[in-house]
Amino acid sequence: MKNNIKKWIYMLGLMGGTMATFSACTNLDETLYDELDQEGYYNNKLETLSAVLRPYTHAQAWATPGRNGWWRLSEYAADQLAWPQKGQHGFDGGNWIRLHHHTWTADEETLNEAWLLAFGGVGYCTNPIENLESREAASMGITEEERLAYIGELKLFRAFHYLRIMDLWGNVPIATETNKTPEPTNPPTNSRQEVFEFIEKEILENVENVPLLSKEMTGRVSRAAGYAMLVELYLNAEVWTGTPRWDDCIAAADKLLTGTAGGQNGTMQLDVNITDAFKPDNHLSKEVIFAIATEFQNSTTQPQWPSEFFYFNHRDINGGGRNGNNGAVVIPGVFSTFADTDLRKKEWMLFGPQMMFSDPTKPVLGSSDEYAGRPVIFVDNIRRNSVAAANGTDPEQLPSNMTTGEGNSGVRFNKYRIGNLAHPSYNSTDWNVYRLTWINFAKAEAIMRRAGGAANADAVELINASKQRSFAQGDRAGNLYTPATLTMDELLAERGREFIFEGYRRQDLIRYGKLHTESWWDHQPSTAIRNLYPIPNRQRVLNPNLEQNEGYN
């Protein structure tokens, strides 16, 4: 076992019947905001821990790539990633096209599933909170100190769910009690301001009551994760409430930057290499603050994101055992925003000819697309190059949009690695929610916004601390920032390069006022209502107390 939560994931996997009780409680036609079956739990420490940790296994479904959750709604509506139709593949009812062009409606099943998954996670937190609060510690086989720490941890994790829910929908119900009657409750809509205040209160009241981040708390909500949530909350406070909270953002960031909230592997600090936080054994990273953990070696859990990013024959590229749906690609032009000497361009993306992992002298051959049986060469464009080649015409004259892709269209994801089959941590890569680099950028942005957009030496140092890792020693001098070159627009551009694929791009664009005002590739400006998603109409039928967001019906 690599660490404590990996061990408990394994142990929970052994409790198959008990786990089924939980997983059967999410009805895809109804949002059970807080109702879960509690029978068979809390008789001993293992049963109690299984209830405490259940929300973490569920989080992979909604907080990471691979299903209709926060990540897809956050990235495919923004300016870096897309899932275009590639020949006969990837149309998927136009779901990804509508996200890309901001033409979604309140009837999207994509939105409905994301809502159900996120609020299902709220329920997985709320039920054990109530049980832990109503039971004596000794009856559950735990100490009073553990009981209080579990309650604080779950309240922080529930606040994290609401932070993400508020980010997407703004005005949503706050449900903190389980149903006490046979009929489902229909909680009313709370304003975004009220949701913000609820999240802030929950975090502030509980952050000092949970353990410091340590190896044992890897993959769980620790004190460090709580302060990272506050950083995100305050960084976006002006958008979410109308009132900037830059000083509070800086103060929360300092709790992490000074090391007072603990560290996953000793003192929290930036990793030396740009790949350390994304390797199969990234549980050894020093900069990861909170991650969705998996443990493939000793359980059935594995990352779900390969299906989102991997090519049909991806196992030939990386020597692993998993292929994907040939889905997400980098929007044309984004790849070229990385300097050729930027190590992130080579390490985090796949471009050009792909060679066999087992024999690098042989090309990977295409499968199930226009390039079946031919070498796979990923290109920085989305157009029907094979048609131009067959006709002898100029491919630059071809149309390029969300429906004109081919199997090899677009630069591909290579940021996170699952490793090859021989890697001791193969297929157990954790998905990072917060890492220290993100805290550096948040504090730098708060410093600059507080100063009217101007960078000072502190802001520059925070950004350069991470950027210098992205260049060889001899290439750094011309690529690091000064107070004159670190403008607000340049900070947004560098955020895009550093956090590509990590889920924050929509949020960043909204904070900069650019999500609905800018053009990119074939996307044209939309309207300000697109800064929020509509409340799914299926949920409004089930709960008449839900109020629709402005501009939708």
Side-chain angles (χ1 to χ4, degrees), residues 45 48 61 149 151 180 197 217 245 275 335 423 485 493-494:
K45 186 170 185 175
T48 302
I151 292 170
K180 299 298 194 298
E197 291 172 355
M217 289 298 290
R245 302 281 293 274
T275 56
F335 185 64
H423 195 289
T485 59
E494 182 61 16

Side-chain angles (χ1 to χ4, degrees), residues 282-338:
N282 61 347
H283 63 284
L284 301 176
S285 165
K286 286 184 173 293
E287 78 167 69
V288 173
I289 297 170
F290 175 49
I292 307 302
T294 54
E295 171 57 76
F296 184 67
Q297 278 65 41
N298 298 291
S299 76
T300 59
T301 65
Q302 61 180 342
Q304 68 174 8
W305 47 262
S307 65
E308 195 90 7
F309 299 119
F310 283 7
Y311 180 65
F312 295 132
N313 284 353
H314 210 90
R315 65 181 65 180
D316 292 338
I317 297 173
N318 65 10
R322 302 184 65 181
N323 292 323
N325 294 319
N326 198 28
V329 306
V330 178
I331 286 176
V334 172
F335 185 64
S336 63
T337 66
F338 291 78

